[in-house]
Amino acid sequence: MADPVPTVIVDDLNVVYRVWGAAPRQGGNSPVDALRRIAKRESSPVRREVHAIRGVSFTSYRGDAIGLVGRNGSGKSTLLRAIAGLLPANSGTVYTDSQPSLLGVNAALMQGLTGERNIVLGCLAMGLTPAEVDAKFESIVEFAGIGDFVSLPMSTYSSGMAARLRFAIASAVTHDVMLIDEALATGDAEFQRRSEERIKELRGEAGTVYLVSHSLGVVRQTCNRAIWLDAGRIVADGEVHEVLDAYVASVK
């Protein structure tokens, strides 16, 4: 059996956000105290640091489908964005064997253009030729389940329709590394089934898929491995059912 081929290596990654917020409140809570703080500008915004990813290290391989699980604010989406190269590391390194493709619920589509034009532009941007776009067009529309809406501007789509179209466009091409951030959360049961099948196909085509989803059932069905994050640190990394069972037990 051939040795597994690494696709992403995350080495002691740290990501820190710098945000503006109110200064910590000091003194008493009386109206006089509040007026004194205002007069002294004690409530002026100050810059704070949020350590979103803390010393994370792991390696993914071709054929892996990795579910990222954890509570809100645990660092899942931040980790995906760092792997995609959209967030700089404060320290540590991310190595990839190709440019990862990030698909999220907020992935950019041009609201003033029709679904048809977004499909064409999206596929061309991913490197397909016009002939390949023509060949895949109908299957993308069918997968997204948008029907006649394909000829209408994206601004008329529901959030679920837009999310389905994003996934259909992005998954029309085999990606070496595909990052999916809650893009499956707004689909119906049939779309969920087709999306799960497509993720399995991507794995079979020797790609690597990362999936952030609050639906643990989707993670169990589509992933062979899971990484559990908490406060920016890895709690567990291993076989998907073992990690998810431990995570579920921790939140009961």
Side-chain angles (χ1 to χ4, degrees), residues 143-212:
F143 190 100
I146 58 175
D148 292 339
F149 275 84
V150 70
S151 62
L152 296 178
M154 286 289 302
S155 58
T156 65
Y157 288 22
S158 68
S159 60
M161 292 170 62
R164 296 198 303 270
L165 183 57
R166 291 186 186 99
F167 184 83
I169 293 171
S171 63
V173 177
T174 299
H175 303 270
D176 287 338
V177 180
M178 188 173 185
L179 314 170
I180 304 172
D181 189 359
E182 287 293 353
L184 311 184
T186 55
D188 57 20
E190 175 60 20
F191 177 73
Q192 293 275 357
R193 184 191 63 78
R194 285 182 281 131
S195 299
E196 292 170 9
E197 290 301 318
R198 181 56 184 144
I199 291 174
K200 292 175 182 177
E201 290 174 7
L202 289 170
R203 284 180 57 196
E205 293 164 359
T208 300
V209 178
Y210 288 83
L211 173 64
V212 170

Side-chain angles (χ1 to χ4, degrees), residues 48-61:
R48 297 182 179 182
E49 292 189 346
V50 177
H51 206 148
I53 299 295
R54 301 170 179 265
V56 166
S57 297
F58 64 89
T59 301
S60 65
Y61 301 91

Side-chain angles (χ1 to χ4, degrees), residues 107-115 117-118 121 152-155 166:
L109 289 176
M110 302 185 72
Q111 296 297 302
L113 298 183
T114 64
R117 293 304 301 160
N118 273 289
L121 292 175
L152 296 178
M154 286 289 302
S155 58
R166 291 186 186 99

Side-chain angles (χ1 to χ4, degrees), residues 33-161:
D33 291 323
L35 182 60
R36 183 180 297 112
R37 286 194 298 272
I38 293 173
K40 293 181 178 180
R41 299 183 182 274
E42 292 178 354
S43 60
S44 298
V46 296
R47 192 171 73 169
R48 297 182 179 182
E49 292 189 346
V50 177
H51 206 148
I53 299 295
R54 301 170 179 265
V56 166
S57 297
F58 64 89
T59 301
S60 65
Y61 301 91
R62 292 194 181 279
D64 266 344
I66 301 173
L68 300 179
V69 299
R71 295 179 175 85
N72 289 338
S74 60
K76 304 183 297 296
S77 296
T78 298
L79 179 57
L80 285 194
R81 291 175 63 81
I83 293 173
L86 300 177
L87 283 177
N90 287 75
S91 63
T93 309
V94 177
Y95 303 95
T96 64
D97 69 347
S98 63
Q99 175 59 50
S101 176
L102 175 62
L103 170 65
V105 291
N106 295 317
L109 289 176
M110 302 185 72
Q111 296 297 302
L113 298 183
T114 64
E116 178 180 8
R117 293 304 301 160
N118 273 289
I119 291 171
V120 172
L121 292 175
C123 289
L124 291 175
M126 292 189 297
L128 295 182
T129 66
E132 289 171 330
V133 176
D134 286 342
K136 290 178 176 288
F137 183 85
E138 292 300 330
S139 63
I140 292 173
V141 174
E142 181 180 358
F143 190 100
I146 58 175
D148 292 339
F149 275 84
V150 70
S151 62
L152 296 178
M154 286 289 302
S155 58
T156 65
Y157 288 22
S158 68
S159 60
M161 292 170 62

